[in-house]
Amino acid sequence: MANPEADDDPIRAHLRIDGGTVAEKCVSPGVTPGTRIALSELRKIREKYGGEVYLFFDDCIARNSTMKDDLENYAMLPPEARPYLEIERFFKVVKEQQIPLPDENDLMAEIITVGELDTVVCCSPQSRPFIRALLSPIRA
């Protein structure tokens, strides 16, 4: 039987962070709009606290639209054709397509915004935290 106090439960870990909003909770792990952070750190934050980390490739879209609109507007496109990828899918695509990238500790992203998305899970409405980040240009 699972330990209800286990530290590996992202939902519990997220709820234990000080703050009333997702933005307030993101301050503790260092995720605030305008900061640059390594993808390796974003990946660790996602694993520890749950939620989604969306990496955007287009500056204009990343800064001038909402996550709700983007999820709706690009839903008909295959994920790899969208101007963003969820961080785990990003690493999966990189691996599958053997795209040469610098070490993930050297890949940086700018935090654009943090927030919550309303979703329905098992007929129950829930809010899910997300981080919206702009992938920095990759220099060879």
Side-chain angles (χ1 to χ4, degrees):
M1 183 169 183
N3 177 357
E5 299 299 319
D7 286 336
D8 62 347
D9 182 352
I11 294 171
R12 286 190 197 346
H14 174 77
L15 292 173
R16 283 194 299 263
I17 301 173
D18 288 334
T21 66
V22 171
E24 291 170 355
K25 289 177 178 284
C26 284
V27 170
S28 176
V31 180
T32 55
T35 60
R36 290 177 36 86
I37 188 168
L39 292 195
S40 59
E41 285 301 309
L42 280 174
R43 205 174 193 185
K44 288 176 192 171
I45 289 166
R46 184 197 179 284
E47 289 170 4
K48 183 172 182 177
Y49 300 111
E52 304 296 330
V53 176
Y54 294 98
L55 299 176
F56 280 75
F57 312 111
D58 182 284
D59 186 87
C60 186
I61 293 171
R63 296 181 192 283
N64 298 306
S65 63
T66 68
M67 203 66 243
K68 181 179 182 286
D69 288 343
D70 291 335
L71 291 172
E72 290 173 5
N73 292 339
Y74 298 106
M76 298 301 288
L77 293 176
E80 291 77 10
R82 298 173 188 167
Y84 62 88
L85 284 174
E86 202 283 324
I87 195 166
E88 291 307 319
R89 184 172 286 274
F90 171 81
F91 283 111
K92 182 179 176 185
V93 168
V94 165
K95 184 177 181 180
E96 287 174 352
Q97 296 183 10
Q98 299 178 346
I99 299 170
L101 288 178
D103 183 87
E104 72 179 87
N105 292 316
D106 296 329
L107 287 171
M108 301 295 286
E110 177 188 349
I111 304 302
I112 302 299
T113 190
V114 295
E116 289 181 305
L117 291 169
D118 294 326
T119 60
V120 177
V121 177
C122 297
C123 301
S124 175
Q126 294 182 354
S127 292
R128 186 157 174 85
F130 73 88
I131 298 170
R132 182 181 180 98
L134 176 63
L135 188 63
S136 298
I138 299 169
R139 292 174 172 71

